Amino acid sequence: MANTTKNSGAPWVTVGVSGGVAAYKAAELVRALQQLGADVHVVMTRAAQEFVQPLTFSSLTGHRTITSMWGGWGEESSSPTGLDESGMIEHISEAGGADALVIAPATAHVIAKIAHGLADDFLSTMVLATTAPLIVAPAMNVNMWNNPATQANIALLRKRGVTIVEPGSGYLACGMTGAGRLASIDAIAQTVMRVLSPAAHAEKKDLAGETVLITAGGTREAIDPVRYIGNRSSGKMGYALAEAARQRGAEVILVSAATALDPPAGCTFFSVTSAEQMRRAVMAHLPQATVVIGAAAVADFRLATVGTEKLRRNGALHLELEPTEDIVRGVVEARGAGTLVVAFAAEMDDDIEHARKKMQAKGADAIVLNDVSRAGIGFDSERNAASFITAEQAIEIPEMTKREMAEKILDEVLALRAASIESAS
Ligand code: PMT
């Protein structure tokens, strides 16, 4: 498994993994980059190998994972001579072959080293030796991230043209809360692909001037203090929309029910639990919104009376449910002139006419129909397939990643915007 062989046509992306808890997420990044067509190589720092085995990456990539300048330790040591299998100096051949180098996660230490040109291991040496674009995705404790030394190093790297994928905020492995979480794998992978082919992934700022209010995730309706009625929504579709809209220049307000995802960088984020909390958060921010997208799976029913104590198991239990308010319908009734409203429909079939009736009942401008009975798409999947339905047409969006679908949906939102401007003039 030589490292210098270039697979036909596929861009060669080297992923540098440094030693933080988020090192395990680099395996997902490798997969995401491969799905986007890249031939991925991996270089690990010594500390990274304390968190993840090099074999994990070798198995995923089909290339030997580079673990050292000199070899001699790790389960599959690098060349003890420092030469690769074709006799070239390995860090030079890796540096020369790569079309892009992405360091994810990048620790404060690695960021400091590369900012100051130190080269004491394979990864930092490769950074100096390569002319390929460098992408850095930091992950660390919030105080380390906010430390003036780290911020100065980041500013230095930015000044030199390094692309920084901003960390998100949230609960950190160290137990603290704040900025420092590795950005989403999707955001890192998309950034790499954009850097690789700027023409194909040109920074479209076509949503500049729009404020997109997005709901995401599955709401939870309490039964008692410890139980709830929920659903299988992971929030991935809504978060993909938020990230894509933000990248295309929109202001984004994300109202999210509980998910396992990190809030996307650059969005105004509100965390809610129940359908009623989501409704209130949406209505409170509706006056700013020019586009509303309801990607959340909102409970249609809640308990008429929530137990104040944990219910005991004493035979059969009958719960009385009452309908929740329809958030999308409320939005349509209260929206300002020109605010576009896009709903989603999670159905067990692809009946376009049924979905269109749902859209009309809510008064939305469009509805995205996804058939959640299909394996591999819909709830909690990385992928989705849908139809973007308006009064006049139904545009099929074939199966793709949710991030790719987010771009397609936003393209259609822009087409709606163009049509609404034209009909108003
Ligand atoms: O989150 P993921 O795991 O990525 O999965 C994505 C998804 C399948 C959840 C998403 O693509 C999707 O289909 N979301 C809508 C799910 C849903 O609740 O569908 P619905 O047909 O029950 O509702 C129709 C629309 O009305 C939706 O826009 C919904 O947000 C909205 N609604 C529903 C009930 C309610 N009380 N208020 C609402 O606004």
Side-chain angles (χ1 to χ4, degrees):
M1 291 193 289
N3 281 301
T4 46
T5 319
K6 192 145 185 152
N7 283 0
S8 57
W12 170 340
V13 177
T14 300
V15 175
V17 186
S18 64
V21 183
Y24 75 95
K25 293 187 183 171
E28 289 172 42
L29 177 62
V30 167
R31 272 276 178 254
L33 288 167
Q34 287 171 329
Q35 275 171 6
L36 292 169
D39 178 25
V40 183
H41 294 217
V42 174
V43 174
M44 299 179 80
T45 65
R46 185 174 178 135
Q49 295 162 63
E50 298 290 334
F51 292 91
V52 189
Q53 290 291 312
L55 186 58
T56 306
F57 295 111
S58 304
S59 311
L60 290 173
T61 62
H63 298 291
R64 181 166 47 77
T65 302
I66 300 174
T67 54
S68 155
M69 289 280 277
W70 320 111
W73 79 287
E75 49 73 42
E76 41 161 8
S77 64
S78 292
S79 159
T81 59
L83 303 180
D84 70 10
E85 285 163 23
S86 53
M88 285 183 70
I89 298 168
E90 198 171 30
H91 63 270
I92 301 297
S93 63
E94 186 72 22
D99 294 309
L101 169 59
V102 50
I103 307 180
T107 59
H109 179 65
V110 161
I111 289 167
K113 276 205 307 188
I114 62 175
H116 295 281
L118 299 183
D120 65 346
D121 64 0
F122 195 103
L123 182 58
S124 51
T125 307
M126 184 181 167
V127 170
L128 276 189
T130 194
T131 54
L134 176 61
I135 299 111
V136 170
M140 65 196 74
N141 159 277
V142 57
N143 291 342
M144 291 171 81
W145 172 247
N146 289 331
N147 190 292
T150 305
Q151 288 304 315
N153 290 334
I154 290 285
L156 203 55
L157 291 176
R158 274 210 174 96
K159 215 165 127 191
R160 288 190 203 130
V162 174
T163 303
I164 308 293
V165 190
E166 287 276 328
S169 291
Y171 182 77
L172 303 169
C174 57
M176 295 172 79
T177 303
R181 293 191 72 151
L182 186 69
S184 82
I185 296 305
D186 227 15
I188 301 169
Q190 291 291 341
T191 303
V192 172
M193 299 318 281
R194 208 174 47 250
V195 167
L196 269 172
S197 56
H201 296 79
E203 279 268 325
K204 288 188 277 185
K205 294 291 178 199
D206 49 4
L207 283 167
E210 301 278 359
T211 299
V212 184
L213 170 54
I214 298 167
T215 66
T219 60
R220 294 174 176 179
E221 303 307 319
I223 296 173
D224 65 21
V226 298
R227 302 183 182 91
Y228 60 82
I229 300 172
N231 63 65
R232 290 178 46 220
S233 170
S234 62
K236 288 176 185 165
M237 190 68 245
Y239 279 52
L241 281 159
E243 259 175 24
R246 181 74 197 115
Q247 217 158 61
R248 287 168 71 162
E251 292 296 321
V252 176
I253 303 168
L254 178 60
V255 178
S256 174
T259 74
L261 306 173
D262 298 334
C267 299
T268 306
F269 182 79
F270 297 97
S271 173
V272 299
T273 303
S274 67
E276 179 56 17
Q277 286 172 359
M278 180 171 276
R279 191 189 68 78
R280 285 185 191 186
V282 167
M283 297 312 280
H285 297 94
L286 180 59
Q288 291 122 268
T290 58
V291 178
V292 179
I293 306 180
V298 185
D300 288 314
F301 299 96
R302 64 170 158 251
L303 265 81
T305 312
V306 177
T308 51
E309 309 248 306
K310 183 181 170 195
L311 297 175
R312 296 199 184 280
R313 187 158 68 125
N314 289 325
L317 174 67
H318 299 277
L319 298 175
E320 192 191 336
L321 302 178
E322 62 182 22
T324 55
E325 277 186 58
D326 191 315
I327 300 172
V328 168
R329 181 120 37 103
V331 163
V332 168
E333 282 163 8
R335 68 174 153 178
T339 299
L340 297 170
V341 180
V342 179
F344 268 73
E347 302 292 344
M348 302 297 282
D349 55 39
D350 58 0
D351 185 341
I352 286 174
E353 278 320 308
H354 176 78
R356 186 172 274 136
K357 280 190 188 127
K358 196 176 225 179
M359 174 192 93
Q360 283 160 347
K362 289 174 187 285
D365 300 294
I367 196 158
V368 183
L369 164 63
N370 39 198
D371 176 358
V372 292
S373 70
R374 270 180 59 186
I377 64 163
F379 285 116
D380 199 18
S381 164
E382 297 303 324
R383 301 176 72 76
N384 209 358
S387 297
F388 188 92
I389 301 167
T390 62
E392 292 82 28
Q393 50 181 350
I395 296 149
E396 195 195 329
I397 308 177
E399 186 179 326
M400 57 185 68
T401 65
K402 283 182 175 168
R403 179 52 198 260
E404 288 164 340
M405 177 167 289
E407 299 286 353
K408 301 270 178 216
I409 291 169
L410 294 173
D411 288 346
E412 295 309 325
V413 167
L414 278 170
L416 283 178
R417 167 68 72 227
S420 76
I421 292 170
E422 201 178 291
S423 69
S425 63

